[in-house]
Amino acid sequence: FIKIRFDPTSIEFFKSVLPRMKDELSKGMIWRSVYDMVRDGLLSGYQYALLAVQALPVEQSESTLGNIITYAGNSISQFTPKVLRKDYGFPLLFETAVKRLLETPESEESIRLNLISFVITCAGEGQEKKSINNIARLKAWLEGTDPQLGSIPLKPE
């Protein structure tokens, strides 16, 4: 077993290259290595979330998208201070996941289910920024009154 660590130049390079990479195994290994850097304290959870926000809108691989979602959620929930988690990390991921969910066709059911779960995971209320209230948005979604999400079922028929 080996552990790969990337320097800042490599991480910047991956921002532009990862969305165009075709090989899922290579992409998965890179995303895992970057997540390992978060776990090892070499990269902040918020920095990982910023990388994820760039990748979520464009990633086409279902397995890679699943990895990004899992690692981004863990990076924020486990490796980010509470105030940053509630006021910056999760709200940023929430908005990005909602946007991607709204743009994902119904035919991509598995990706939509992953995104629905991630949207729910990222929902919360701000700690210092009291204007953040994604729980209210989830309630409106559940009730079918959210103007954007109301048309998306929380689970497939």
Side-chain angles (χ1 to χ4, degrees), residues 42-55:
L42 301 172
L43 188 73
S44 76
Y46 188 70
Q47 287 173 304
Y48 188 96
L50 292 175
L51 291 171
V53 163
Q54 289 184 324

Side-chain angles (χ1 to χ4, degrees), residues 20-89:
R20 297 191 316 262
M21 286 181 73
K22 301 290 184 217
D23 184 59
E24 289 184 25
L25 178 60
S26 296
K27 282 198 292 189
M29 291 175 65
I30 291 168
W31 279 107
R32 178 58 195 222
S33 294
V34 175
Y35 174 66
D36 286 344
M37 290 176 65
V38 174
R39 287 187 349 180
D40 295 344
L42 301 172
L43 188 73
S44 76
Y46 188 70
Q47 287 173 304
Y48 188 96
L50 292 175
L51 291 171
V53 163
Q54 289 184 324
L56 282 173
V58 296
E59 182 55 56
Q60 297 301 310
S61 163
E62 182 180 329
S63 65
T64 303
L65 187 66
N67 288 337
I68 294 168
I69 285 171
T70 299
Y71 301 149
N74 288 344
S75 291
I76 294 298
S77 66
Q78 297 175 13
F79 302 104
T80 304
K82 187 175 183 179
V83 69
L84 292 176
R85 185 181 329 148
K86 290 178 156 280
D87 289 350
Y88 299 98

